[in-house]
């Protein structure tokens, strides 16, 4: 298992967002993205929350 400690970015949403809407982002290492087979042309992933863990899987 590979593990990294990263920070979550919080940004105020713009445009037509209502009230105090916030966008959250986490940067994933490029090496991991390549291992999943995610590319700029084929970038769809499935994310799920299970037992307090976020799971990211490449959509096949």
């Amino acid at each position: 298992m590979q593990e990294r400690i990263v920070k979550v970015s919080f940004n105020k949403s713009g445009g037509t967002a209502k009230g105090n809407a916030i966008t959250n982002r986490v940067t994933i290492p490029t090496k991991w993205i390549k291992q999943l087979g995610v590319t700029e042309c084929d970038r769809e992933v499935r994310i799920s929350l299970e037992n307090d863990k976020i799971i990211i899987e490449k959509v096949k």
Side-chain angles (χ1 to χ4, degrees):
M1 177 172 84
Q2 299 178 45
E3 184 176 288
R4 300 256 178 113
I5 305 287
V6 299
K7 295 192 182 213
V8 177
S9 298
F10 293 88
N11 299 300
K12 289 186 179 183
S13 298
T16 59
K18 299 220 178 195
N20 295 325
I22 294 177
T23 299
N24 311 306
R25 291 189 174 97
V26 174
T27 301
I28 301 169
T30 301
K31 181 179 178 181
W32 296 0
I33 292 295
K34 287 180 179 178
Q35 284 181 316
L36 289 175
V38 177
T39 65
E40 288 184 52
C41 296
D42 188 14
R43 57 191 181 128
E44 195 167 63
V45 296
R46 174 182 297 112
I47 62 171
S48 55
L49 181 64
E50 186 176 310
N51 298 325
D52 295 330
K53 292 184 180 184
I54 297 171
I55 299 167
I56 303 171
E57 301 172 290
K58 173 77 174 89
V59 174
K60 301 198 179 200

